[in-house]
C-alpha cells in the first residue's frame, strides 16, 4: 500500500485528500498539518518546526512514497526541490517554476515572451514613481502586490484618489511586505478558472470553474481568498477548453521547458473572457481554492495516478481527466470579520445534519474538546452536487443553512449566473 502525505490544512487540501481516497490503489493518507475535518479522512501529522526541512523530515519519518503539496508558499520556497533531493517523490513545481505565482512581475515577463494574451501593465518599484504613474493612468485600474498575498494583494481602484490610497498601502504601510507593484489595465468580462495538470511537456486541462473573490453579493466589497465556486461552466465543452489550453497553458509550459525550468504540477490560469478574447489575469502554481472544492468532487479519473504521471517528463502523454456530468456548487462559510480579520474558537453546529448529495470540506477548523470550532477566516466549504446547476445550488444552500457559528458570513449569489446561463440557452 502506498503512503501519501498531503501538505496543507485548508479546504483545498481536504478536497485533495477526498479525491486521493477514491483511488483504486487505496493509499494510506496523511496530512500535515490538516484540520478537524481532514482528521476524519486522513492521519494528521504535526510538523516539528517550519519551512521545507520540517516537511522533508515528516515525509521521511512516515516513509511516504509521494508528497502532494497544496499551498503556494511552500512551493515557492522550494519544498518540492528539497523533497526530491532527499529521494522523496513530490507532486508540484520546483521553486524556479513556481515563480509564475511567486512574482507577478516575472509572470508578466513569461507571458510576454510566450505570446500569452494578458492585460497591459507597468511595474512600480518606488512610491514616488508609483504616484507619477497613477496620475497618468486610466481608471478603473488594478494594483497588485508582486509577491504572495493569500489572494488579498489585489486592489481595484475606481479613481486616482483610490490609487493613491493603494500606493500608501503597498509602499508606506507595507501590508504585503517590501514589494514591487504591478499597475494593470482593468479588464471587463467574465472570469474563468482553468486548472491543468502538467508534466513538463504535456498539458492536461481539468474541468473549468468560476469563482467569486469579493466578500459580498453582487461582487461588492474587498477581495478575499474566494467565497464560492462552481463547475462546469456553460459554453465550455472539451474542445473549447483545449483551445484555451493551447492559448494560455501550452505556450508557457513549452517556454519553461526550453528555459530549463520545466513545469510539473498544477498550472492554474485565472482568465478574463473579454470581447477581444480570453486574457490571463494571473497564474497560480497549485490547485485553486475554492475551485478545487468544486472540480475534484466531479473527477472520475484516478487523481493519485495522474499526480504520479505528472512527475515524470512526458508522463501524462495519452492520459485523460474524466469528469462526472453532475454540477458542483461550492459555498464558503467565513468567520466574523473576514477578510480583514477572523474570529476563532466559535463552536460550529449542524455538521452532523448534512444530507446526501452534499460534501462539506473543512478550511479553518479545529477540535476543542468535543466541539469543532472556527480557526480561520474561511471556515467551511459546502458543495452541493446535482444534475443541474439549480439543483446543485439548492442542495448547497439548504445544507449551509443547517450550519451555525457566531458571525457566520456567506454569499447568497454563488452560481446564480450558471442557473441563468442554462435558462437562457
Amino acid at each position: 500500500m502506498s503512503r501519501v502525505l498531503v501538505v496543507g490544512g485548508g479546504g483545498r487540501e481536504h478536497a485533495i485528500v477526498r479525491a486521493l481516497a477514491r483511488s483504486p490503489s487505496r493509499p494510506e493518507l496523511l496530512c500535515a498539518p490538516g484540520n478537524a475535518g481532514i482528521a476524519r479522512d486522513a492521519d494528521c501529522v504535526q510538523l516539528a518546526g517550519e519551512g521545507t526541512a520540517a516537511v522533508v523530515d515528516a515525509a521521511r519519518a512516515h516513509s511516504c512514497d509521494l508528497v502532494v503539496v497544496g499551498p503556494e508558499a511552500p512551493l515557492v520556497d522550494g519544498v518540492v526541490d528539497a523533497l526530491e533531493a532527499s529521494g522523496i517523490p513530490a507532486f508540484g513545481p520546483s521553486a524556479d517554476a513556481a515563480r509564475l505565482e511567486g512574482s507577478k512581475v516575472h509572470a508578466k515577463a513569461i507571458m510576454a515572451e510566450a505570446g500569452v494574451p494578458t492585460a497591459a501593465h507597468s511595474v512600480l518599484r518606488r512610491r514616488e514613481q508609483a504616484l507619477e504613474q497613477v496620475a497618468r493612468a486610466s481608471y478603473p485600474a488594478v494594483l497588485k502586490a508582486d509577491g504572495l498575498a493569500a489572494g488579498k494583494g489585489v486592489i481595484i481602484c475606481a479613481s486616482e484618489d483610490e490609487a493613491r490610497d493603494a500606493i500608501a498601502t503597498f509602499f508606506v504601510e507595507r501590508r504585503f511586505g517590501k514589494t514591487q507593484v504591478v499597475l494593470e489595465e482593468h479588464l471587463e468580462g467574465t472570469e474563468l478558472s482553468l486548472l491543468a495538470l502538467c508534466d513538463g511537456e504535456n498539458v492536461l486541462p481539468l474541468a473549468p470553474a468560476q469563482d467569486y473573490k469579493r466578500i459580498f453579493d453582487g461582487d461588492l466589497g474587498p477581495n478575499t481568498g474566494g467565497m464560492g465556486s462552481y463547475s462546469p461552466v456553460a459554453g465550455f465543452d472539451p474542445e473549447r477548453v483545449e483551445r484555451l489550453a493551447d492559448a494560455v497553458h501550452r505556450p508557457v509550459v513549452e517556454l519553461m521547458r526550453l528555459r530549463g525550468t520545466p513545469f510539473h504540477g498544477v498550472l492554474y490560469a485565472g482568465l478574463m473572457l473579454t470581447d477581444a478574447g480570453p486574457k490571463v489575469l494571473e497564474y497560480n502554481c497549485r490547485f485553486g481554492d475554492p475551485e478545487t472544492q468544486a472540480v475534484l468532487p466531479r473527477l472520475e479519473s484516478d487523481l493519485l495516478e495522474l499526480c504520479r504521471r505528472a512527475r515524470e517528463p512526458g508522463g501524462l502523454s495519452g492520459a485523460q481527466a474524466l469528469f462526472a456530468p453532475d454540477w458542483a456548487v461550492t459555498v464558503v462559510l467565513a468567520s466574523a470579520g473576514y477578510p480583514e480579520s477572523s474570529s476563532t474558537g466559535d463552536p460550529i453546529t449542524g455538521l452532523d445534519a448534512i444530507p446526501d448529495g452534499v460534501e462539506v470540506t473543512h478550511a479553518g477548523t479545529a477540535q476543542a474538546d468535543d466541539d469543532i470550532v472556527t480557526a480561520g477566516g474561511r471556515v467551511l466549504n459546502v458543495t452541493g452536487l446535482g444534475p443541474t446547476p439549480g439543483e446543485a445550488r439548492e442542495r448547497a444552500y439548504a445544507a449551509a443553512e443547517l450550519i451555525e457559528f457566531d458571525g457566520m458570513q456567506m454569499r447568497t449569489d454563488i452560481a446564480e449566473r450558471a442557473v441563468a446561463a442554462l435558462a437562457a440557452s
Side-chain angles (χ1 to χ4, degrees):
M1 177 186 292
S2 62
R3 182 174 293 170
V4 181
L5 173 65
V6 176
V7 176
R12 164 186 48 220
E13 288 75 36
H14 200 175
I16 292 170
V17 164
R18 292 258 178 92
L20 290 171
R22 298 197 299 270
S23 170
S25 63
R26 307 285 294 175
E28 182 182 350
L29 296 171
L30 296 85
C31 190
N35 60 41
I38 293 174
R40 285 153 174 77
D41 295 307
D43 292 329
C44 288
V45 175
Q46 295 305 309
L47 298 175
E50 298 181 356
T52 60
V55 175
V56 173
D57 289 345
R60 185 185 292 117
H62 292 276
S63 302
C64 297
D65 50 32
L66 180 68
V67 177
V68 177
V69 184
E72 60 273 22
L75 292 169
V76 171
D77 288 344
V79 69
V80 168
D81 308 74
L83 286 161
E84 294 281 354
S86 299
I88 302 168
F91 172 79
S94 66
D96 282 340
R99 286 186 67 205
L100 271 177
E101 181 168 4
S103 170
K104 292 179 177 60
V105 173
H106 172 71
K108 284 289 192 181
I110 290 288
M111 283 186 262
E113 188 173 346
V116 170
T118 186
H121 77 287
S122 58
V123 179
L124 312 178
R125 294 181 171 84
R126 302 179 311 280
R127 178 174 177 271
E128 295 75 14
Q129 174 210 8
L131 291 172
E132 292 175 4
Q133 289 277 2
V134 300
R136 299 194 297 267
S138 299
Y139 292 92
V142 182
L143 281 87
K144 300 179 177 181
D146 177 48
L148 298 179
K152 301 172 189 174
V154 178
I155 302 177
I156 300 174
C157 305
S159 65
E160 182 183 340
D161 285 344
E162 290 186 12
R164 294 173 72 88
D165 289 342
I167 293 302
T169 297
F170 289 120
F171 290 103
V172 179
E173 181 184 340
R174 290 190 172 178
R175 185 179 302 173
F176 306 102
K178 187 175 181 181
T179 182
Q180 300 179 94
V181 174
V182 174
L183 172 62
E184 198 173 77
E185 70 168 321
H186 183 263
L187 297 177
E188 297 287 346
T190 302
E191 290 194 41
L192 183 81
S193 300
L194 184 58
L195 288 70
L197 301 178
C198 306
D199 64 9
E201 300 173 8
N202 299 295
V203 171
L204 180 64
L206 303 181
Q210 287 193 338
D211 78 330
Y212 294 72
K213 283 287 189 281
R214 301 296 190 98
I215 183 68
F216 300 128
D217 287 7
D219 292 327
L220 300 175
N223 270 347
T224 71
M227 291 299 293
S229 61
Y230 66 87
S231 177
V233 178
F236 286 86
D237 59 20
E239 289 184 3
R240 191 173 181 190
V241 167
E242 285 290 341
R243 291 198 299 272
L244 278 177
D246 284 343
V248 303
H249 291 85
R250 292 188 174 100
V252 166
V253 170
E254 176 62 12
L255 175 61
M256 295 182 73
R257 184 188 69 81
L258 293 173
R259 281 177 161 225
T261 57
F263 192 99
H264 294 260
V266 178
L267 180 57
Y268 164 130
L271 304 169
M272 184 67 79
L273 307 175
T274 74
D275 290 341
K279 295 189 178 185
V280 174
L281 295 171
E282 63 176 353
Y283 283 120
N284 292 336
C285 61
R286 36 72 189 185
F287 282 107
D289 188 345
E291 293 94 337
T292 301
Q293 291 88 304
V295 171
L296 287 189
R298 301 180 53 241
L299 180 66
E300 294 183 324
S301 298
D302 183 347
L303 179 61
L304 178 56
E305 179 191 8
L306 291 174
C307 289
R308 292 192 188 282
R309 291 179 66 168
R311 288 189 56 255
E312 303 297 330
L316 289 173
S317 178
Q320 288 184 299
L322 302 176
F323 289 85
D326 275 357
W327 287 72
V329 174
T330 299
V331 177
V332 172
L333 309 185
S335 66
Y338 184 74
E340 286 81 9
S341 62
S342 61
S343 177
T344 61
D346 300 313
I348 303 169
T349 61
L351 291 172
D352 56 354
I354 302 303
D356 292 339
V358 176
E359 184 169 305
V360 176
T361 46
H362 289 231
T365 66
Q367 191 78 40
D369 297 324
D370 293 333
D371 292 328
I372 293 179
V373 301
T374 62
R378 292 183 296 173
V379 178
L380 297 164
N381 311 281
V382 183
T383 301
L385 298 162
T388 68
E391 289 180 64
R393 185 175 187 276
E394 288 173 8
R395 288 175 181 172
Y397 276 108
E401 293 291 347
L402 299 173
I403 300 171
E404 294 183 0
F405 53 87
D406 285 349
M408 186 177 85
Q409 301 184 78
M410 68 175 172
R411 284 184 60 156
T412 64
D413 61 349
I414 305 301
E416 274 186 351
R417 66 181 68 141
V419 176
L422 192 66
S425 63

